[in-house]
Amino acid sequence: MPTPVEKVETKLMGTRLRKTRLALKNLHPKDVRFKTLRAFAASMGTDEDNLNNWELGRARTPAFFIQRLKEEFGITYDWICGNDPARLPGDIR
């Protein structure tokens, strides 16, 4: 069972994940990957339910997904897990 600290960390990671997805959507308004949560999840190798649970902080964002964010968009583990905006690509800040 997660500790209270782990629950807060998971929630914060989810919030940053959602902010990242929405920022990417704003940067790429015509990209079909960002039209819906389902489309983005599929393009990143997961499903809508998993992504929704991660964004809502119901489950911890797995390392494979953070790695995909880094490979595709330059989003680092330090941003998703530690809220370090210096680790975001310049076009997202």
Side-chain angles (χ1 to χ4, degrees), residues 73-91:
F73 308 108
I75 308 300
T76 67
Y77 184 86
D78 292 335
W79 162 248
I80 297 295
C81 298
N83 198 22
D84 182 357
R87 302 300 181 153
L88 283 173
D91 58 346

Side-chain angles (χ1 to χ4, degrees), residues 2-67:
T3 67
V5 171
E6 289 170 333
K7 287 181 182 180
V8 169
E9 289 172 349
T10 300
K11 186 79 168 167
L12 291 172
M13 284 175 67
T15 299
R16 289 188 290 273
L17 179 60
R18 179 172 167 71
K19 286 181 180 181
T20 299
R21 180 177 58 81
L22 295 175
L24 289 167
K25 181 178 181 177
N26 288 334
L27 283 172
H28 309 283
K30 295 182 181 184
D31 191 330
V32 296
R33 293 180 295 176
F34 304 110
K35 293 290 183 196
T36 64
L37 184 71
R38 178 177 292 166
F40 182 67
S43 76
M44 297 297 289
T46 191
D47 63 38
E48 181 179 17
D49 290 336
N50 284 334
L51 183 55
N52 191 46
N53 283 331
W54 301 333
E55 286 189 359
L56 293 174
R58 293 180 186 150
R60 194 167 185 87
T61 308
F64 89 86
F65 192 80
I66 297 170
Q67 182 63 33

